[in-house]
Amino acid sequence: MLAGAAAAKFILAKPVNATMDYGMRLAGMANTAYSDRDVAGRIAGKTELNTAIEKAVRLGGGTRESAATTLDTLIAAGTLSVDDSKAVLPTLTKASTASGADPTELANIALRSMATFKIKASEIPKVMDMAITAGQAGGFELKDMAKWLPQQMAAARLSGMSGMGGLAKLLAANQASVITAGSKDEAGNNLVNFLAKINSQDTAQDAKKLGIDLSGTLSAARAKGIDSLQAFTLLTERTVSQDKRYTTLKDKAAKTKDGDEKKATYEAQADIIEGSAIGKLIQDRQALMYLVAALNNKDYLKDVEAKVNAAKDTTETNYAVIANEAGFKKEQAVQEGDIATYKGMTQLDGPLKKTLDLMTETAREYPNLTAGAKLSASALSALAAAAGASGLMKLLTGAGGAAAGAAAAGAVGTAAGSAATGVGAAAAGAAAPSLLARLSGAVGSGARGLLTTGAFAATMPAASFAAAAPAATAGTVVAAGAAGYGIGSVINKATEGTAFDRFLTRAVNAVYDAVTGQKQHEAVKLVPREPVEVNVKITTDSHLITAEVSREQQRQATRK
């Protein structure tokens, strides 16, 4: 019975700890989101945020944790109101499921789109459709855009690109950049460098030395509806088109299908451009490689841009395909379980907080109790290791008989507790076939013992005790050692005859009766056996505690 209660305690530990961790996260988010509210208002805000997170997971997939991180990112940026952040969240979780991109990185795309490209919050679903469509048209997918688009948009804004139209051109440019790059990251970096170069003052000064009014040329192009990317590409083409070497290589690249040969042709074109007047403006090989991609793939750029502008319901369609899979449905079931667990565990919020407050106060009021509990736990671990040298498997499986368990448990009692606790431990060993069961039962009953006060024990049902017990392990070591193992002479001297001593005795008995449905004297029946003397030597060296049991005594205990 006690072993079962201990097992329940460990099973409940995970959901209880997860609930507390998630609650802490919501509290931090509420402080940021509702900084204009008082304490009660912020606590109420936790529920509002949790509702938004659960809605996003149910509508878009993913996990509660990733949705919470994404919402936190949106709120902390300050670009969106709290209500707009909650409204956008399901779009981002759904786009994440549809594309495999991290929803937090998608949040950064949304934030940069609004802050830099002046895109409205209501247009974010369209932004996601456009981005996914661009990724399907080329090799630069949404998860790659999530990494590179924010800094690309910042650089593109300096050259006058903005709005949904500017975003479409930037998305198409990334697809072209992949053609001359060795990897997706290199493609994103090439475009970033190119955008930075055409907008830099150094480039404008270098152009001026060559008799080119770069800023004026780009401004005139924008007035005609030509973006800076395209304008600089046209300027380059006019400059290098008179070089027959360049035109020959460009024709060769158009006809070549072999990947390596095509790449070599692009590299040769970059060499020619680098040696021209344009090379004096773009003194960056990575930026030049994007320029080569744009010069050789103008029709491809136009085609991708057209598809991106026409994108509609791309996210919904991709999501529907993923949502039809058993793996997705399994994850949804897991998340619903977590949601239900959180709601169930929050019903224990009041008793749990009272329990933890009690344990904290107890540890502060009885510092020797805390020290003794840690000493006891350490000594018990060392003793278990020493006893394992002889007959460990028999003790664990119960094959060595009840007397072996009684001897080992009695030794623990002698080492870690008072004479009364040692007798109790020996009796438990005599009645139970497994040392693991006996020890776990001791831990379980010990943890529950300190969770109880006089009034609390009288009103709290047994099921609530079992649910609240994991707080012991989360809060402190005290509960695990205090009533289970016995605390040793240190605690006896510190608490003997005090109100705490009387409280602890009543609490253990009351909780034991509530959990097992038996009176404590009825549960343990001593079986007379020939006494076996087991001497335990405990020595301390700095922070190390060593427990020794002679091999001969171990063998005697096993035979008995």
Side-chain angles (χ1 to χ4, degrees):
M1 183 69 74
L2 288 176
K9 179 179 81 73
F10 286 113
I11 292 172
L12 284 169
K14 184 177 180 180
V16 168
N17 289 333
T19 298
M20 290 191 290
D21 291 343
Y22 184 64
M24 288 288 289
R25 180 165 204 170
L26 288 176
M29 292 171 62
N31 276 335
T32 301
Y34 304 110
S35 58
D36 57 332
R37 297 183 182 182
D38 60 11
V39 174
R42 296 184 191 188
I43 292 175
K46 286 176 54 182
T47 302
E48 298 172 32
L49 296 174
N50 181 58
T51 299
I53 290 168
E54 291 178 359
K55 178 182 177 181
V57 170
R58 286 169 171 162
L59 292 179
T63 67
R64 251 188 350 164
E65 289 69 24
S66 64
T69 300
T70 304
L71 182 58
D72 196 15
T73 299
L74 292 171
I75 293 172
T79 303
L80 287 168
S81 67
V82 176
D83 288 341
D84 283 343
S85 295
K86 293 189 292 185
V88 165
L89 184 61
T91 297
L92 299 179
T93 55
K94 182 170 288 187
S96 172
T97 299
S99 64
D102 187 324
T104 305
E105 293 181 335
L106 297 184
N108 288 327
I109 291 180
L111 292 169
R112 184 65 68 183
S113 296
M114 290 180 283
T116 306
F117 268 37
K118 306 305 178 184
I119 291 172
K120 300 176 183 178
S122 60
E123 294 176 310
I124 295 303
K126 174 68 173 179
V127 169
M128 295 297 119
D129 283 345
M130 293 169 65
I132 293 175
T133 298
Q136 292 175 341
F140 202 80
E141 299 178 350
L142 186 55
K143 59 186 177 182
D144 305 308
M145 299 176 204
K147 181 176 182 178
W148 290 100
L149 267 180
Q151 52 187 307
Q152 289 173 352
M153 284 190 283
R157 186 72 179 89
L158 296 176
S159 60
M161 296 176 68
S162 64
M164 300 294 277
L167 178 62
K169 294 181 183 297
L170 199 56
L171 292 172
N174 273 304
Q175 306 310 319
S177 186
V178 173
I179 296 173
T180 56
S183 67
K184 308 296 178 58
D185 282 342
E186 186 178 331
N189 185 64
N190 288 353
L191 182 54
V192 168
N193 287 6
F194 180 77
L195 289 166
K197 279 294 180 182
I198 64 176
N199 293 310
S200 72
Q201 288 297 319
D202 289 342
T203 302
Q205 291 298 323
D206 289 338
K208 188 175 182 179
K209 295 175 183 178
L210 298 172
I212 300 173
D213 181 7
L214 183 59
S215 298
T217 299
L218 297 179
S219 295
R222 283 198 296 272
K224 296 178 182 179
I226 303 174
D227 64 272
S228 298
L229 287 172
Q230 187 178 0
F232 198 93
T233 301
L234 292 173
L235 175 63
T236 301
E237 191 166 39
R238 285 199 302 268
T239 303
V240 299
S241 61
Q242 300 175 7
D243 191 319
K244 291 184 178 181
R245 294 175 303 164
Y246 171 78
T247 55
T248 299
L249 288 170
K250 185 177 180 182
D251 291 340
K252 181 180 179 181
K255 297 175 182 178
T256 301
K257 295 183 178 180
D258 180 75
D260 291 337
E261 185 177 354
K262 187 183 285 288
K263 183 177 180 180
T265 305
Y266 288 147
E267 292 283 353
Q269 289 183 53
D271 291 338
I272 293 174
I273 296 173
E274 198 169 21
S276 69
I278 297 299
K280 294 181 173 60
L281 302 181
I282 305 296
Q283 302 162 7
D284 182 296
R285 187 71 177 186
Q286 285 71 39
L288 277 177
M289 293 312 297
Y290 167 75
L291 185 56
V292 170
L295 287 167
N296 285 272
N297 298 278
K298 289 185 289 183
D299 290 340
Y300 174 71
L301 276 166
K302 290 179 181 179
D303 180 59
V304 173
E305 185 179 342
K307 289 180 179 179
V308 167
N309 281 319
K312 183 179 180 181
D313 296 330
T314 312
T315 303
E316 290 290 346
T317 302
N318 280 26
Y319 173 81
V321 174
I322 300 297
N324 189 54
E325 293 299 310
F328 174 84
K329 298 181 185 300
K330 174 186 175 183
E331 180 60 36
Q332 285 289 83
V334 170
Q335 295 308 309
E336 286 299 327
D338 289 345
I339 290 171
T341 298
Y342 177 72
K343 289 181 179 179
M345 288 297 174
T346 52
Q347 296 176 10
L348 294 174
D349 190 53
L352 190 60
K353 287 188 287 190
K354 290 180 181 179
T355 298
L356 293 171
D357 285 341
L358 170 64
M359 292 169 61
T360 302
E361 293 171 5
T362 300
R364 289 174 178 170
E365 185 174 355
Y366 299 94
N368 287 337
L369 177 70
T370 306
K374 291 185 176 181
L375 176 65
S376 176
S378 299
L380 179 65
S381 298
L383 177 59
S390 174
L392 176 60
M393 289 306 296
K394 292 183 180 180
L395 288 175
L396 292 177
T397 62
V412 172
T414 304
S418 64
T421 346
V423 170
S434 168
L435 179 59
L436 290 180
R438 292 192 296 277
L439 295 183
S440 62
V443 174
S445 59
R448 286 187 297 275
L450 280 186
L451 289 174
T452 317
T453 63
F456 194 42
T459 59
M460 190 173 183
S464 298
F465 282 125
T473 53
T476 179
V477 181
V478 175
Y485 302 129
I487 314 264
S489 58
V490 177
I491 286 80
N492 285 334
K493 291 179 181 179
T495 64
E496 186 175 6
T498 66
F500 177 79
D501 187 20
R502 293 188 294 273
F503 149 72
L504 184 59
T505 302
R506 291 195 305 271
V508 171
N509 291 337
V511 177
Y512 186 88
D513 293 346
V515 173
T516 66
Q518 295 177 296
K519 294 298 183 181
Q520 193 172 30
H521 68 274
E522 296 174 350
V524 179
K525 296 182 180 180
L526 295 177
V527 179
R529 295 187 180 278
E530 183 179 347
V532 177
E533 181 180 359
V534 179
N535 297 321
V536 180
K537 177 184 178 183
I538 298 179
T539 59
T540 61
D541 179 12
S542 183
H543 299 294
L544 300 178
I545 300 175
T546 303
E548 299 177 359
V549 179
S550 72
R551 292 174 180 259
E552 178 60 28
Q553 291 172 341
Q554 292 174 34
R555 287 193 292 271
Q556 290 179 6
T558 302
R559 286 196 297 271
K560 297 293 184 181

